[in-house]
Amino acid sequence: EATLDLAERRRIRSAIRDLQRQELERDEEALASKRFRPERGSHRQEDKENWPRSRHLEEEQQQAALATLSQRLEAITSVEELTKLLRAAGEYEERKLIRAAIRKLRAEEIE
């Protein structure tokens, strides 16, 4: 806007477009690297329909183990015991159930 020379304005607009294009390319590269980042661990998430039968069995066993853990947690009435279990738990779903049991006990204590 400060210059009246048309050739200079074209060069400035061209430089602005180049900078915007470079910025878009960097953003796209960042998104692509996040989107296609290899997952942690040795196994990849796959479509559950294509899982082999053994994976389905594993998942069913894990669900059964979580149900058993949930029943055990309902019998525990001490936050200290639950905290010990929480520290020993390795799986996310186990820790999630234990934290929920701790919150439930604390809510009951408050009441």
Side-chain angles (χ1 to χ4, degrees):
E1 294 178 12
T3 183
L4 296 177
D5 184 22
L6 294 178
E8 187 177 357
R9 283 181 169 218
R10 280 189 211 112
R11 285 192 303 268
I12 292 171
R13 285 190 200 113
S14 177
I16 290 172
R17 280 192 299 274
D18 287 342
L19 288 172
Q20 289 172 337
R21 183 183 42 77
Q22 290 172 1
E23 186 177 356
L24 281 174
E25 288 173 358
R26 279 192 305 256
D27 290 347
E28 288 173 357
E29 288 173 9
L31 279 175
S33 69
K34 288 179 183 177
R35 188 176 305 139
F36 300 110
R37 184 182 309 156
E39 293 186 20
R40 294 181 182 146
S42 61
H43 66 291
R44 290 180 145 173
Q45 179 70 20
E46 298 173 5
D47 184 12
K48 289 185 179 184
E49 293 176 3
N50 296 327
W51 281 6
R53 181 74 179 141
S54 63
R55 282 231 173 137
H56 285 293
L57 290 174
E58 272 182 32
E59 188 169 300
E60 289 172 4
Q61 289 173 348
Q62 184 178 15
Q63 293 298 325
L66 289 174
T68 304
L69 175 64
S70 180
Q71 291 172 352
R72 266 188 35 215
L73 293 175
E74 288 179 12
I76 298 175
T77 58
S78 167
V79 174
E80 290 79 25
E81 280 185 62
L82 290 172
T83 305
K84 288 178 187 177
L85 281 175
L86 180 62
R87 289 185 181 132
E91 294 292 321
Y92 170 77
E93 292 295 327
E94 290 176 4
R95 293 191 310 267
K96 184 176 166 181
L97 286 174
I98 296 169
R99 285 193 300 271
I102 291 173
R103 282 193 298 273
K104 183 179 174 185
L105 274 180
R106 288 185 176 154
E108 288 173 1
E109 287 176 359
I110 291 173
E111 290 176 1

